[in-house]
Amino acid sequence: MTLAPYAASDAMSRGRQHPEQASPYRSEYQRDRDRIIHCAAFRRLEYKTQVFVNHEGDLFRTRLTHSLEVAQIARSVARALGLNEDLTEAISLAHDLGHTPFGHSGQDALNHCMRAYGGFEHNLQSLRVVEVLEERYAEFPGLNLTFETREGILKHCSLKHAKQLGELGSRFIERKQPGLEAQVANIADEVAYNNHDIDDGLRYGLIEIEQLRAVELFAAQYVQVEQKYPELAPRRCVHETIRRMINHVVVDLIENSASMLAADKPGSMDGVRDAGKPLVAYSEPVSEQVLALKRFLRENLYQHYTVRRMSRKAARIINDLFSVFVEDVRLLPPQYGHKVAASEGNAQRARVIADYIAGMTDRYAIHEHARLFSPTELTRGS
Ligand code: MG
């Protein structure tokens, strides 16, 4: 398929940190995607969660299924806009690699623990995973991904950290945009979680259909489904509604972005970076609808008392783990012990501990906490 002039292409890529020969059969961004799928951090996404803890039910989204949904949505949009699907997919699959266990509460807790040592940002950690922490190649640390994939992974970044990131951080300082593939992956992330959180929230009984009738984006589709299929079982009704909601926002996103691109006419990926505004966006009315849905989820789902209880427990686990390792680094497993031994100063030592904790899955963190703190686990060792 022909790429639009503003799409990313192998020929225009800024390349890899460690130069490598081109593959005879795969494009550069296909290789990035493949490297991400084969890395350990990607497999861990299966046991990490965003809102619900993994063991609460087998049907809830994990970060792995979330990332697959993001990739699916992002690829559809990318193809419709003539963008590079492989790059879009690579960014989508890698976007959550740096997340801690227990979703946002885990990230906030670890950031708090690390406040004296430079803090913890999950976007930066995703970059750290693919640049430093993965150990899969003889010749370089990390996965040696292309600039464009790493640019897409670094969705947000504080100015303080941006200054330390060279070419990759400069767009945050110069207020430039990332490529369109990164912009698509970013919005696809939001489309995926807004919709799957409704599904998971309803299944778990934290939110009710009656409440959602006040949310325009949901209600408009739900009423249509009810009218067309009055006998439909409730769960199928929900799934049919969510399917239509995703379609509604994705079609709007494609059509609105296509007209923005037609108006702005960026001649290249650099033209996109210099456009002064994102060129992938919903129309104004749908943007308002999405905001209202996010507000609803924030007030009714993410702040639900059962979610808050779980978040509090998660934060306690992260705090306990961090404190106990800072007090005595000899409690770390050997591979991290060696890294501590090779590190200089408290900040580097704390970073090794943060890497260890951030890499944990939800259940690993729960077990590790029990091994270190539960008296009944005394006989289990580590
Ligand atoms: Mg995500």
Side-chain angles (χ1 to χ4, degrees):
M1 160 173 175
T2 330
L3 293 174
Y6 36 72
S9 64
D10 281 12
M12 298 300 290
S13 174
R14 295 190 191 177
R16 304 177 189 277
Q17 282 173 314
H18 306 273
E20 292 182 58
Q21 274 209 322
S23 159
Y25 302 112
R26 292 180 297 161
S27 74
E28 294 301 331
Y29 304 121
Q30 262 183 292
R31 293 175 87 186
D32 280 3
R33 189 253 339 261
D34 298 348
R35 289 172 186 207
I36 290 158
I37 287 177
H38 285 274
C39 82
F42 186 71
R43 289 193 295 282
R44 290 197 202 107
L45 295 175
E46 186 175 2
Y47 300 104
K48 293 194 184 204
T49 47
Q50 226 151 251
V51 181
F52 305 92
V53 172
N54 191 247
H55 62 78
E56 289 178 313
D58 289 347
L59 279 179
F60 291 122
R61 265 67 171 191
T62 65
R63 286 203 184 270
L64 180 63
T65 59
H66 163 70
S67 300
L68 296 175
E69 290 184 27
V70 174
Q72 179 276 314
I73 293 165
R75 282 185 55 187
S76 300
V77 177
R79 186 180 298 195
L81 295 176
L83 304 179
N84 194 310
E85 273 184 70
D86 295 330
L87 174 59
T88 312
E89 189 179 14
I91 295 168
S92 302
L93 294 176
H95 86 283
D96 269 354
L97 289 180
H99 262 289
T100 60
F102 312 124
H104 299 293
S105 45
Q107 126 94 24
D108 292 346
L110 192 53
N111 186 28
H112 188 73
C113 294
M114 287 292 288
R115 66 195 181 283
Y117 312 108
F120 180 90
E121 294 175 22
H122 64 82
N123 271 292
L124 269 181
Q125 190 69 9
S126 297
L127 198 62
R128 191 166 158 77
V129 165
V130 301
E131 287 185 348
V132 181
L133 297 178
E134 282 291 330
E135 298 174 324
R136 309 197 70 80
Y137 291 85
E139 298 195 354
F140 42 76
L143 304 177
N144 198 30
L145 303 179
T146 59
F147 175 87
E148 293 73 25
T149 301
R150 294 183 301 121
E151 174 190 49
I153 291 174
L154 195 63
K155 191 161 64 177
H156 311 288
C157 178
S158 60
L159 276 183
K160 187 181 81 183
H161 286 130
K163 288 179 186 148
Q164 300 158 8
L165 290 171
E167 194 187 5
L168 207 57
S170 63
R171 85 172 153 97
F172 298 96
I173 298 159
E174 295 162 13
R175 298 180 175 279
K176 290 190 177 183
Q177 300 299 320
L180 293 169
E181 289 79 1
Q183 296 184 33
V184 167
N186 187 8
I187 297 190
D189 181 22
E190 174 188 293
V191 174
Y193 67 67
N194 282 340
N195 287 284
H196 65 50
D197 286 353
I198 295 177
D199 189 18
D200 285 350
L202 285 168
R203 183 180 302 109
Y204 200 49
L206 299 185
I207 49 175
E208 304 287 340
I209 296 281
E210 289 315 308
Q211 292 173 286
L212 279 162
R213 284 187 190 275
V215 181
E216 191 187 350
L217 202 54
F218 181 91
Q221 307 300 329
Y222 191 74
V223 166
Q224 284 182 27
V225 174
E226 266 184 325
Q227 280 172 356
K228 193 168 180 194
Y229 309 101
E231 304 297 324
L232 201 60
R235 280 238 54 88
R236 281 179 74 178
C237 207
V238 167
H239 291 154
E240 178 68 27
T241 302
I242 291 175
R243 197 182 74 69
R244 289 169 180 234
M245 285 169 73
I246 296 175
N247 191 56
H248 174 72
V249 295
V250 166
V251 166
D252 179 83
L253 183 65
I254 291 169
E255 290 176 356
N256 192 62
S257 305
S259 53
M260 286 173 84
L261 287 163
D264 202 89
K265 297 188 183 59
S268 66
M269 198 175 187
D270 277 335
V272 169
R273 291 180 174 122
D274 293 334
K277 61 175 182 190
L279 294 173
V280 176
Y282 305 118
S283 67
E284 200 55 47
V286 167
S287 177
E288 290 293 322
Q289 290 177 341
V290 171
L291 275 178
L293 171 62
K294 287 171 86 111
R295 214 176 303 124
F296 171 85
L297 288 170
R298 198 166 49 240
E299 287 166 7
N300 297 283
L301 182 60
Y302 308 141
Q303 295 300 327
H304 193 281
Y305 85 100
T306 58
V307 174
R308 291 189 72 92
R309 283 181 178 202
M310 205 195 60
S311 303
R312 180 54 69 96
K313 258 194 281 191
R316 189 171 305 133
I317 291 175
I318 300 286
N319 285 330
D320 286 349
L321 289 173
F322 189 83
S323 316
V324 82
F325 291 131
V326 166
E327 269 170 37
D328 187 354
V329 288
R330 292 169 301 181
L331 297 174
L332 286 164
Q335 68 272 34
Y336 289 91
H338 296 321
K339 287 184 181 175
V340 164
S343 64
E344 285 168 22
N346 288 343
Q348 276 193 18
R349 209 173 59 154
R351 187 61 59 190
V352 175
I353 296 170
D355 286 340
Y356 177 44
I357 294 175
M360 293 179 184
T361 62
D362 294 1
R363 62 181 187 176
Y364 184 93
I366 292 167
H367 289 154
E368 184 71 334
H369 188 265
R371 283 192 290 265
L372 285 156
F373 291 94
S374 166
T376 56
E377 295 278 322
L378 268 181
T379 52
R380 291 262 205 91
S382 60

